[in-house]
Amino acid sequence: MDELKFNKLAAGVLCGVLLIMAGIKTADVLLPHQHLDQNAYPIEVAETTSATAAPEAPKGADPVLALLASADIAAGEKLGKKCAACHSFNDGGPAKVGPNLWNIVNAPAARDGGFKYSTAMAEMGGEWSYGNLNQFLYKPKQWLKGTKMNYAGIKKANDRADVIAWLRSLSSAPVALPSDEEIAAEASNS
Ligand code: HEC
């Protein structure tokens, strides 16, 4: 095909396209638009709130105070073998990787003079109440940011109750079990 023929053909095609476009435009102007209240084909999109919802605050430990009275001290001692890698549990026992834990329930935090605590624990204040032990042992690094206790934590409430009941027994005069009021207060806080 020579150049002229090709040009004619191209012009023809172009004109055709233009005519069709003009036709569509005219029809657009002349014909009344149909306004649909709805999409002709409704598109169902499930409403998801989770995508935009604020991230949940880290969940604290489940309550254990109510479990302590019937906790299994022997099971707690068994679980405590993991703690023994870093802690001594006897009266006057030495600081190891971590501080001595004899008579720790209700003792002031960071009380072991022979142990160099992290700043976080040294400045934490308060006592190792049942409630604090529960939260700390659940996820140590989440509850006390900056602690140097490299231990993932004890997931199950039953296991924490057993360990805490065992810790309580490591004393010449174990502190009282939680009162009904303390148990109720813990339940309403969580
Ligand atoms: C890998 C070592 C390691 C393991 C395992 C470990 N701890 Fe610790 N623990 C530490 C260290 C280190 C500290 C001091 C933390 C600091 O200074 O921030 C500590 C601190 C503590 C304290 C605070 C004591 C105080 O004097 O204030 C308690 C209570 C405690 N641990 C209980 C436990 C229990 C119970 C277990 C077992 C379920 C356990 N730890 C397992 C290393 C460990």
Side-chain angles (χ1 to χ4, degrees):
M1 161 172 5
D2 64 31
E3 208 180 319
L4 193 63
K5 263 192 187 156
F6 176 78
N7 280 349
K8 275 187 189 161
L9 193 70
V13 170
L14 202 66
C15 277
V17 169
L18 282 174
L19 268 175
I20 292 168
M21 282 169 68
I24 292 171
K25 210 60 212 156
T26 317
D28 226 21
V29 172
L30 294 181
L31 296 175
H33 278 274
Q34 256 186 306
H35 287 287
L36 298 176
D37 288 339
Q38 275 189 332
N39 280 344
Y41 302 96
I43 299 161
E44 303 279 345
V45 178
E47 270 186 41
T48 50
T49 47
S50 57
T52 49
E56 273 181 45
K59 201 177 158 309
D62 288 336
V64 296
L65 264 59
L67 308 175
L68 289 176
S70 57
D72 185 340
I73 293 176
E77 180 169 13
K78 231 175 175 178
L79 289 164
K81 295 237 159 70
K82 289 190 187 146
C83 326
C86 300
H87 292 284
S88 68
F89 293 96
N90 52 330
D91 191 2
K96 296 166 52 180
V97 178
N100 173 260
L101 292 182
W102 168 259
N103 202 18
I104 192 70
V105 179
N106 280 359
R111 56 148 192 200
D112 185 342
F115 182 77
K116 180 131 181 40
Y117 290 92
S118 64
T119 314
M121 194 167 280
E123 292 178 351
M124 129 183 188
E127 314 176 324
W128 287 115
S129 61
Y130 291 123
N132 283 345
L133 281 170
N134 181 36
Q135 296 298 334
F136 179 61
L137 293 179
Y138 174 59
K139 285 187 179 172
K141 298 211 170 208
Q142 176 181 300
W143 189 73
L144 186 66
K145 294 258 164 358
T147 181
K148 61 177 180 178
M149 173 153 135
N150 283 323
Y151 179 72
I154 308 174
K155 279 248 154 57
K156 287 195 208 152
N158 267 324
D159 289 346
R160 287 195 306 280
D162 291 349
V163 168
I164 294 168
W166 167 64
L167 289 174
R168 169 181 179 263
S169 76
L170 302 175
S171 169
S172 41
V175 301
L177 285 166
S179 66
D180 289 348
E181 289 76 33
E182 286 165 326
I183 290 171
E186 185 200 41
S188 67
N189 275 339
S190 60

